């Protein structure tokens, strides 16, 4: 199993770079960041420095979207980084929850994501792509052998189906075992139905991880409070699904939707941060299901179960008060045990 680190690009950028270097030293193979232009600093500028200061770490956004940049600009940015540092980037893409809403726009449609994935992937590989209206372009400066995998974030049935049909990888932003099994199966089944080899779709589960020295009630309560924000972030996407499919739809499992009944709104100024006041509705049970908290043994046990469900990478959301400690605990005690 591969491991990734997910950060927000809060200033100073030097700290983001330092944490990514620390992650690589501890056996992490991927580095991810949020991509929301109003809330955080521009990630692609920082990616150049991360790549320059690491040896093999693959980096990318979790996730960008097709609405805040034109597609040829996105592709050119990835392709430039790959030309400078080797094929070490991944384009994670989704609807653009915070990036679009904070800018006063609606998240992108699945049709737009589909079109964008095709263009970004083709251009990033040095192939021709139609930008619309018959305007076909390619980058003349790309060298042979260029690659740009595109991984799609998804929760709902149509998005899962499209991921299996079109994406190189599937990003699932929660670590609940039942929902992981359910959604990975939906993606793999869609890939097979489209004539693809399901094993070619990389599965990345991303969720907060908080390591405690013991499983005392006090330690676990603190860990849950540090990770409770994640249930609120996922809740934004779940609320969209409920709006689209209904509260008790057979299209979306109740294990995903039931917990947002007490949700009363969301202020993006606290997005992805511990102590978010808009996530008090998230119960402890959801934190335990969606995240990895507890002793190293508890992390190892759940990670092995995720691996058995077809998960190729676990990406650690590291937004809490123990960033370095969690990176080090994974490097010394958890990653070696999972991959023994």
């Amino acid at each position: 199993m591969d491991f990734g680190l997910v950060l927000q690009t809060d200033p100073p950028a030097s700290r983001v770079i330092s944490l990514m270097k620390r992650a690589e030293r501890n056996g992490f193979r991927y580095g991810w960041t949020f991509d929301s232009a109003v809330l955080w600093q521009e990630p692609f500028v920082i990616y150049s420095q991360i790549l320059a200061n690491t040896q093999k770490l693959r980096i990318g956004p979790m996730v960008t979207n097709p609405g805040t940049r034109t597609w040829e600009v996105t592709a050119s940015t990835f392709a430039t980084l790959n030309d400078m540092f080797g094929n070490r980037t991944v384009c994670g893409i989704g609807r653009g929850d915070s990036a679009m809403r904070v800018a006063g726009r609606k998240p992108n449609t699945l049709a737009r994501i589909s079109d964008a994935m095709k263009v970004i992937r083709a251009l990033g590989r040095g192939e021709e792509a139609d930008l619309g209206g018959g305007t076909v372009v390619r980058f003349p400066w790309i060298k042979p052998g260029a690659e740009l995998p595109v991984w799609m974030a998804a929760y709902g049935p149509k998005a899962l189906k499209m991921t299996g049909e079109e994406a190189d990888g599937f990003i699932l932003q929660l670590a609940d075992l039942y929902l992981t099994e359910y959604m990975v199966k939906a993606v793999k089944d869609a890939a097979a139905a489209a004539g693809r080899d399901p094993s070619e779709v990389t599965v990345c589960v991303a969720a907060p991880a908080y390591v405690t020295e013991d499983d005392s009630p006090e330690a676990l309560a603190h860990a849950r409070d540090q990770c409770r924000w994640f249930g609120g972030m996922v809740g934004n996407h779940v609320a969209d699904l409920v709006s689209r499919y209904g509260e008790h739809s057979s299209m979306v499992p109740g294990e995903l939707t039931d917990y947002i009944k007490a949700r009363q709104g969301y202020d993006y100024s606290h997005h992805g941060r511990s102590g978010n006041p808009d996530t008090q509705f998230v119960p402890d049970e959801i934190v335990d299901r969606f995240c990895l908290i507890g002793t190293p043994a508890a992390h190892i046990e759940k990670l092995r179960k995720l691996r058995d469900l077809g998960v190729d990478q676990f990406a650690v959301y590291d937004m809490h008060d123990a960033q370095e400690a969690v990176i080090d605990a994974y490097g010394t005690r958890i990653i070696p045990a999972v991959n023994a």
Side-chain angles (χ1 to χ4, degrees), residues 32-277:
W32 304 93
T33 73
F34 283 41
D35 178 17
S36 193
V38 174
L39 297 178
W40 298 288
Q41 292 186 329
E42 171 55 39
F44 286 95
V45 176
I46 300 171
Y47 292 163
S48 185
Q49 289 297 305
I50 294 172
L51 290 165
N53 283 275
T54 56
Q55 302 301 311
K56 297 181 179 179
L57 200 70
R58 298 177 68 91
I59 57 89
M62 190 177 282
V63 291
T64 193
N65 75 89
T68 53
R69 295 179 180 86
T70 59
W71 307 342
E72 70 273 19
V73 170
T74 299
S76 180
T77 306
F78 278 112
T80 302
L81 291 171
N82 284 338
D83 185 67
M84 293 171 67
F85 301 103
N87 291 324
R88 291 173 57 194
T89 68
V90 179
C91 177
I93 195 167
R95 296 178 64 225
D97 173 41
S98 66
M100 296 296 286
R101 286 188 166 118
V102 170
R105 308 180 192 121
K106 293 181 179 180
N108 294 272
T109 64
L110 293 180
R112 186 170 173 83
I113 295 174
S114 175
D115 291 342
M117 286 199 299
K118 293 181 178 69
V119 168
I120 292 168
R121 181 194 291 117
L123 291 177
R125 293 176 176 177
E127 301 167 359
E128 290 185 343
D130 189 341
L131 299 181
T135 302
V136 177
V137 300
R138 66 178 294 272
F139 299 149
W141 46 267
I142 287 190
K143 300 172 185 175
E147 290 293 336
L148 180 57
V150 180
W151 297 7
M152 181 176 165
Y155 291 110
K158 292 181 180 179
L160 294 170
K161 181 175 182 290
M162 196 176 93
T163 300
E165 292 172 343
E166 301 182 25
D168 301 302
F170 167 40
I171 296 173
L172 174 58
Q173 292 165 310
L174 53 78
D176 177 79
L177 295 175
Y178 171 80
L179 292 171
T180 297
E181 182 176 20
Y182 177 95
M183 294 184 185
V184 169
K185 183 179 185 302
V187 169
K188 299 284 189 178
D189 287 351
R196 304 180 66 194
D197 181 351
S199 67
E200 293 181 356
V201 182
T202 303
V203 177
C204 173
V205 160
Y210 199 100
V211 182
T212 63
E213 288 302 316
D214 57 52
D215 55 4
S216 66
E218 295 79 12
L220 294 177
H222 179 75
R224 290 186 182 109
D225 285 343
Q226 287 294 305
C227 298
R228 199 175 306 277
W229 62 266
F230 185 66
M233 187 182 83
V234 174
N236 296 329
H237 302 282
V238 174
D240 284 347
L241 292 176
V242 170
S243 175
R244 179 181 297 270
Y245 295 104
E247 189 172 344
H248 302 290
S249 170
S250 61
M251 300 287 287
V252 184
E255 288 82 355
L256 177 63
T257 60
D258 286 348
Y259 83 98
I260 69 162
K261 292 177 180 177
R263 181 179 181 270
Q264 296 182 342
Y266 193 84
D267 182 351
Y268 280 89
S269 65
H270 306 289
H271 190 57
R273 302 186 186 279
S274 60
N276 186 333

